[in-house]
Every structure is written in C-alpha cells, then in structure tokens.
Amino acid sequence: MLVALIVALSAAFSLMAMPAMADEVNVDEYDNSIIGNVKLNSEPLEGVLLTVSGGGYEVEVATDADGRWKVGVPDGDEFSVTLDESTLPDGIAVIDETGEDDTPNVKEAMIGPSGSTVMNFFIGRGERNVTSFFDQFVERIVNGVNFGLMLGLAAIGISLVYGTTGLSNFAHAEMVTFGAVMALIVSVDLGWPVWIAIPLAVLLSAGFGWTLDAGLWKPLRKKGVGIVQLMIVSIGLSLALRYTFQYFRGGGTEQLPGSDSPDIPLFGSVSLSQTNMISMVVSIVVIVIFAWWLVKTKIGKATRAVSDNPSLAAASGIDVDQVVRVVWILAAAMAGLAGVLWAYFRPGIRWDMGAQILLLVFAAVTLGGLGTAFGALVGSIIVGVLVETSSLFIPSDLKYVGALVVLIVILLFRPQGILGRKERIG
C-alpha cells in the first residue's frame, strides 16, 4: 500500500507539472526549427494536430488560436510533417493544388542554412483520407503490447528486488537510463556495431547492479538500516545518477543507430517498424528465458523462497546474501535492456528517460502484485495497452493518467494486486 500511495502522490505531482500542448514545442531544446500556419480562407484553424518526424525524432504539436505552430528539431536536413486530417473541421481537408499527390497532408521539410524552414498546408473543402477507427485501435493495441513487454523487463527487476529485500528502489529508473547510455557510448562514440553494443550494454548494466549492491546496499543491510531509510537513499541515488547523466551527456536527445528503420505493413493500415518488431521478439525471448530460470533452476527456486520468506529460507540453508546479489545483477541487466528498447520506442536517449516511465513501472508492479515477477509482467502489459489505446479517447498528454486510474480502481477491490496473495497484518 505504501507503493500505491507513492504512485498516487507522484501522479498528482506529475499532473501538476505536466505541460499543456501549445503552439511551440522543443524550441528551447534545439537550434533548428520548423514553423507554419494552418488557415482556411485566411481564417486560422485552432487545435489542428501535426506530427514532425525524421532521423528517429518525432514530436506532435497543435496550432494555436492564430493557426500558428512551431517545432524545434535536432540537426538534420529532412523531416516529414504530417497533418492529422481528423482534427480538421467537418468537410475540410488538405487539398493538393497539383492534383498529383495522393497524400497532400504529408510534406517533406528541408532545413535551410538559417536553421529554420516554413511549412504551410493548403486547406479547402474536400474528402479526407482518414484511417478507420478499427485500424487505429488495432495498431495501438500492437504498440501497447510492445510497450508493455518493454515495461515488463524493467518491472520484473524492480519486483524481484522488492520481493527479496522489501526495498522500493527509485533508482531503478536510472538503471534503465544507464543501459541506453552505455549502448549509445559503445555504438556511437566508439563506433562499434549495434549488435555488439546492445549485449555489451546489458553486461555493463549487470556489472553496475553488482557494484551498487556490493558498494552500497549490502553494507547498509548489514548495518540494519530500515526499509524507509533505504528507500530515501534510493531516491537520493536516483537524483545523483540522473544529473550525472545530464552533466556528461547534456540535456538533448540522441539517437541509437537504426532508430529510423522503415515501417513494415502487417495488415490493413497497421504497420510496425523493424526495430519495434525486433524489440517485441527480444522481449518475449528474454521473458521466456527468465521464466524458465525462475521456475526450473536451483538459484531461481532459491530466489522464490527468499521472496516468500527470507527467514525461513535462511533457516533452510539458503545463502540469502548470494540470492540478493544475483537478484540485483539480474534486475540491473533487465533494466539495461529495457532502456535500450525504450530508446528505440520513444525514440531517443535523454538523461531523464528512465524517470519518464518510473511511475508506470511502479504502477505495473503494484497492479500485478507486489513481489511477484509474473504479476509484474501481467501488470506491465495491461498498463502498456491502456497507455497506447487511451490516446484514442483522451488527449495524448493525459494518456499515462488512464493507467494510474485503473491501478487505483483495482487496488480498491483487490489490494494485493492481480496475482498477489492476501497477507495477514498484525
């Protein structure tokens, strides 16, 4: 219940700090920009959504009351600007003046020497080429499952740590960022192939988890430091690591190689990029291997025993410290892999990227059942699908709220979570 309270309070603070969609996005973050107007017969159209993408970068912006919009973009020559015709008034569409363009709502923008370019659309009366609601819904579900599997990798790790130590580790978000940053350093800074950089980043993340346990968490456990104090230490560690990443990598967004891979049509208008398809396969394979390890291997059974009752496990001859050390290594490795996959899904790597999904990870763990690895996976998939599909019904800025609302509702009727078990208190 403590974690649920923390999630609810954090969600409230996040909503208070959440910026509203405006006519200017990321203009302070990048030197280059794309600007434009959306008007019908010189009359501005407010609230029209446009998506700017290119080189793995993607951002959404809405026109203001004067029909204006502006987006900051990273270094690059070509970007695609897509106007969402479903946000235009009824009977209004983007018109191709030449009559030769089948998708007049999509235009290519070239950044000039000045660092900016203007992109306007010709709006008139006509038929709109709008993707059906069913196709949009199916595509969001597929993306939601992909997002949920990625969340599951991070949630399983944080659930294992909680189950064996009782610690709600807020620094787990920075373990996610650490994996992505290591992959970036190896692939971009050192120039190694990405198929080597990603496994190496996971190994470095595992080593990072071992270092944290050996140098920080184990000494604190031996001194008998309480759970609340350990949680406060994890918050401090989270902030220290987060701003260390910012100090060394800066505040911008960087891309991993292959983040701009082309989309592959699946059925209808539903498509997935090559990286997202590979991400889903990798997540499923890793989760299956983890499930086998947890159920069939000796150390996996010992981990379940320690999670169930540490004192009884120690009395049975299980080396609890060794199990906890293995859990920290495994949790950090899975968090590092989740960070790499999150960098491709966003897409991009930022110093605070792990913190952006920390609430969702906690929500998934609590929803599935505290301390249960399989419950964390179930909760993650539910949260991922809810987050992606909710933007069909509510503004995209509020899509994370739906998952937290469902979390609160389920906890009201089943406080132990979906796969958690009731425990006697007192």
Side-chain angles (χ1 to χ4, degrees):
M1 293 304 294
L2 176 61
V3 175
L5 179 59
I6 293 172
V7 170
L9 290 175
S10 301
F13 285 116
S14 297
L15 288 178
M16 292 171 61
M18 185 179 295
M21 183 176 295
D23 61 310
E24 295 188 359
V25 176
N26 293 346
V27 293
D28 296 328
E29 186 175 343
Y30 300 107
D31 295 330
N32 301 331
S33 62
I34 303 175
I35 60 177
N37 290 279
V38 180
K39 295 183 178 182
L40 172 64
N41 298 327
S42 301
E43 293 295 327
L45 298 178
E46 182 181 4
V48 178
L49 296 182
L50 301 101
T51 302
V52 178
S53 60
Y57 174 79
E58 183 173 317
V59 68
E60 189 177 74
V61 64
T63 57
D64 64 5
D66 296 323
R68 295 193 299 259
W69 60 275
K70 183 176 182 180
V71 170
V73 294
D75 293 336
D77 295 331
E78 296 185 9
F79 293 90
S80 175
V81 181
T82 304
L83 186 147
D84 185 355
E85 291 187 296
S86 64
T87 60
L88 292 173
D90 292 338
I92 304 302
V94 180
I95 304 300
D96 175 31
E97 296 177 281
T98 65
E100 300 175 355
D101 191 355
D102 295 331
T103 57
N105 65 313
V106 180
K107 291 189 177 183
E108 300 300 321
M110 301 287 293
I111 303 298
S114 64
S116 65
T117 187
V118 177
M119 179 57 59
N120 295 321
F121 291 86
F122 182 76
I123 308 297
R125 298 193 176 275
E127 298 293 330
R128 294 199 298 261
N129 181 19
V130 181
T131 304
S132 69
F133 177 83
F134 176 77
D135 285 345
Q136 293 184 57
F137 185 71
V138 172
E139 186 172 10
R140 297 295 176 89
I141 289 180
V142 174
N143 286 328
V145 171
N146 184 24
F147 184 42
L149 290 171
M150 182 275 299
L151 277 180
L153 293 174
I156 287 172
I158 206 171
S159 181
L160 283 176
V161 170
Y162 178 84
T164 53
T165 66
L167 171 64
S168 297
N169 181 26
F170 282 81
H172 199 75
E174 277 50 63
M175 292 182 177
V176 172
T177 307
F178 181 86
V181 171
M182 290 301 103
L184 180 70
I185 291 174
V186 176
S187 63
V188 176
D189 295 354
L190 300 182
W192 290 22
V194 69
W195 58 271
I196 295 178
I198 293 177
L200 186 57
V202 174
L203 290 176
L204 291 173
S205 297
F208 183 52
W210 178 87
T211 302
L212 286 178
D213 183 59
L216 179 63
W217 301 117
K218 184 177 180 179
L220 290 177
R221 289 196 303 269
K222 286 188 173 295
K223 292 182 179 295
V225 177
I227 293 299
V228 174
Q229 291 91 330
L230 288 176
M231 187 174 66
I232 294 174
V233 170
S234 76
I235 295 174
L237 177 63
S238 172
L239 293 173
L241 290 174
R242 191 180 310 168
Y243 288 102
T244 299
F245 295 144
Q246 184 189 32
Y247 178 80
F248 285 103
R249 300 304 306 187
T253 301
E254 301 178 86
Q255 304 293 338
L256 286 172
S259 58
D260 56 347
S261 62
D263 289 346
I264 298 177
L266 299 180
F267 53 89
S269 62
V270 178
S271 62
L272 274 180
S273 67
Q274 292 179 354
T275 54
N276 283 340
M277 295 183 69
I278 295 174
S279 172
M280 292 183 70
V281 172
V282 169
S283 298
I284 293 172
V285 170
V286 171
I287 289 171
V288 169
I289 293 175
F290 166 78
W292 174 85
W293 174 86
L294 192 63
V295 174
K296 297 296 184 180
T297 65
K298 183 177 179 180
I299 187 66
K301 294 177 181 178
T303 301
R304 291 160 57 200
V306 173
S307 180
D308 185 61
N309 192 321
S311 300
L312 182 59
S316 302
I318 297 176
D319 188 343
V320 176
D321 278 341
Q322 181 185 8
V323 170
V324 172
R325 179 68 54 82
V326 171
V327 164
W328 274 103
I329 294 173
L330 185 61
M334 296 182 74
L337 178 59
V340 174
L341 300 183
W342 175 227
Y344 279 113
F345 187 86
R346 293 183 67 239
I349 296 174
R350 277 180 55 88
W351 59 280
D352 60 346
M353 58 181 290
Q356 294 175 358
I357 60 170
L358 181 62
L359 276 180
L360 296 181
V361 172
F362 273 126
V365 172
T366 310
L367 181 61
L370 292 175
T372 61
F374 295 117
L377 175 60
V378 172
S380 297
I381 293 177
I382 293 175
V383 168
V385 172
L386 283 174
V387 165
E388 287 300 311
T389 57
S390 62
S391 57
L392 290 173
F393 309 99
I394 61 177
S396 58
D397 285 344
L398 300 177
K399 64 181 182 180
Y400 291 162
V401 176
L404 300 178
V405 170
V406 171
L407 166 68
I408 295 173
V409 171
I410 288 182
L411 291 181
L412 287 175
F413 295 97
R414 189 176 174 83
Q416 69 271 28
I418 295 174
L419 297 185
R421 64 180 184 180
K422 293 182 179 181
E423 295 184 6
R424 182 176 178 180
I425 300 176

